[in-house]
Amino acid sequence: MARFTLPRDIYYGQGSLETLKTIKGKKAIIVVGGGSMKKFGFLDQAVDYLKEAGFEVELFENVEPDPSVETVMKGAAAMQKFQPDWIISMGGGSPIDAAKAMWAFYEYPETTFEDLIIPFNFPELRQKAKFLAIPSTSGTATEVTAFSVITDYAKGIKYPLADFNITPDIAIVDPALAETMPATLTAHTGMDALTHAIEAYVSTLNSPFTDPLALKAIHMVFDYLPDSYNGDKKAREQMHYGQCLAGMAFSNALLGIVHSMAHKTGAAFSTGHIPHGCANAIYLPYVIKFNASAAEARYADIARSVGLEGKTDAELTEKLCEKIDAYNVKLNIPKTLKEFGIVEDEFKQKVAHIAELAVGDACTGSNPRPITPAEMEKLLTCTYYGTDVNF
Ligand code: FE
C-alpha cells in the first residue's frame, strides 16, 4: 500500500495572502525569518488579516537560515507559553521548516530530536494546533511537503525530518511574496525545485500520482527559471507554482542522492555553507550519470518530454545533463565544488566521512541505483574536480 498526502487546501494567486481572514481559531503564532517579510510589509499584513479574523497573534521572529536545533527548542518553548491553535509560518524554507519541528516539540515536549530524525516516526500531531505555511521563496516547497531540514551545528550535520504529520494543513502560495527574492536566491531555489522534480520522477517510489506533477514542474522550471532569475514577474509567478508542484511530487515519491549529498556537504566545510539549491544544482548532472544504468529510461522520458531529441535513451540522458549544465551556466552556478571555493586539502580530508554520512541520509533509500560509501566517495570526488562519472 502506498500513501499520497497533500495539504487539505492550497490557496494561490496574487493577493491570496488575504485568505488568512477566513481562518477559524483563537490564537495564532507567526514564525518568520530575519526581516524581509517585515521589511516588505507582508508580516504586518498577515497580522492584520488574522486580527480581522478574531485572532490573538504572537510573533516568533529571526529564525536563522538553516535553522538550528536550539532555535527549534526556543520556538517550541514560546508556543508552550502562548498555547496557539494555529501555527502560521511565513518566509523561506528555513522559518517554515523550523516551525514544523517546533510544532512537534510544542505538542510533545517530552519527545527528543533523536526520536524525530527516524523517518516517519512522528507522534500524532494536531492535538493542539494546525499548521499553515506561506512561502516567500520558490524552491523548497516546504509549504506542501512532509519534510523539514534542521541543522545540528555542534555535529555539522543537516537532518532531514520526514513524516506526513508535518505536511501543512493549508498552504498559501501568493506570488507577491516571491517577487522580493534576490537573483541568486531565485537561481538556487529554482534549481532546488528542478532537482526535486527530477529526483521524484526517477525515485524508486515514483507513481502515477507523482509523475504528472514532477513532469509539469520540470517543464515549468525549464520554461520560466531564466526569466524569473532576470526579474520577470510573470515568470516568477509561474516558478512559484512550479516549485509547489515539484513539492507535491517529491513529498510523496521522496528524493535521491543529490539531496543526500547536499544535506551532508551543506554545513561540512570551514569555508562556509553551500546553499542547498546551489549544492543540488552542482551535483545533479553527476548523479544523473551515476544513476543512468538504473534509470536511463526515466531520464530519457524527461528529456523527450521537454523536447530534446536523441536516438537512444543514453543519448537523451546525455542531452538532459547538457541542458542542466547550460542552465547552471546561465544562472551563474559553478560546475564543481572546487570552483565553488571548497579548499582541496579540507575536501580530501573530509570526503570519506561525508560519503559515509551521505549514504546514510534518509534520501538515499529511494535513489534508483544503490550506492556504497566507496562509490559515494568517488562520486563526490568527481563533483570536486569535474571529472567524468564512469563507474
Ligand atoms: Fe531540496
Side-chain angles (χ1 to χ4, degrees), residues 139-140 192-193 195-196 250 255 259 263 276-277 280:
T140 71
D192 186 25
T195 307
H196 293 155
F250 91 83
L255 292 165
H259 272 76
H263 290 146
H276 174 70
N280 283 333

Side-chain angles (χ1 to χ4, degrees), residues 91-152:
S94 297
I96 299 175
D97 278 10
K100 286 176 170 176
M102 290 169 191
W103 185 21
F105 284 102
Y106 164 45
E107 299 209 358
Y108 294 91
E110 275 81 47
T111 195
T112 65
F113 210 76
E114 281 63 38
D115 294 332
L116 296 187
I117 61 175
I118 302 166
F120 298 92
N121 190 49
F122 270 58
E124 203 56 36
L125 298 180
R126 297 172 176 77
Q127 311 299 315
K128 293 182 177 176
K130 286 189 183 173
F131 194 97
L132 185 152
I134 311 165
S136 68
T137 61
S138 304
T140 71
T142 185
E143 73 276 8
V144 292
T145 74
F147 307 110
S148 154
V149 182
I150 303 299
T151 302
D152 187 330

